[in-house]
Amino acid sequence: MSVRKTLGRFASGVTVVTTARGTTGEVHGMTANAFTSVSLDPPLVLISVSTSAKMDRRIEETGRYGISVLSGEQKPLSLHFAGAAHEPDLVDFVWRDDLPLLDGALAHLTCSVRASYPAGDHTLHIGEIDGLWHRDGDPLVFFSGELRSLVSSR
């Protein structure tokens, strides 16, 4: 049994992590499902980023990152930022707190890095939440190696 297949049985939301060098600088983003809340007071979240990913270096350089929690309709954006599809025409950013975030996402968080820890082949970046916004809708989830739309029973 593989670690990937076993841990894939845990359903998670899908996010796109973004950062930029200034408000007119180069934007970089990546799909991530390794995201979690850490603390409410102070408000902290954690993302886990491969040490071989460009995003790891970019977060170290900028000291900030944004999180866009994707809606069920945003599967193509998830694939784009995962490198599985090339669809830059679908990407529409909104800027909040000088960070790019994906328009139409269910939630946006802007974060400043408070600590980073090496963890095997990844870096755990703990960010303090500077700003947050949300809207209603159904999320995109990752389960058993597949992206799926989760429809609520409201």
Side-chain angles (χ1 to χ4, degrees), residues 18-92:
T18 49
T19 193
R21 294 181 180 134
T23 57
T24 58
E26 179 185 347
V27 173
H28 188 72
M30 66 167 251
T31 299
N33 66 333
F35 162 78
T36 191
S37 170
V38 173
S39 169
L40 295 177
D41 187 18
L44 301 174
V45 295
L46 176 146
I47 57 171
S48 179
V49 180
S50 172
T51 56
S52 65
K54 288 181 189 177
M55 181 59 78
D56 195 48
R57 291 184 301 283
R58 300 282 169 84
I59 289 173
E60 185 179 315
E61 291 169 8
T62 66
R64 300 196 68 221
Y65 61 86
I67 300 288
S68 297
V69 178
L70 300 187
S71 73
E73 297 84 36
Q74 293 181 304
K75 180 178 177 179
L77 283 170
S78 172
L79 295 172
H80 172 78
F81 284 100
H86 184 70
E87 300 198 46
D89 293 343
L90 297 178
V91 179
D92 190 18

Side-chain angles (χ1 to χ4, degrees), residues 64-65 96-97 99 101 108-111 128-131 133:
R64 300 196 68 221
Y65 61 86
R96 297 179 187 226
D97 290 343
L99 284 169
L101 299 156
H108 290 150
L109 295 93
T110 56
C111 304
E128 184 165 358
I129 299 171
D130 298 320
W133 303 263

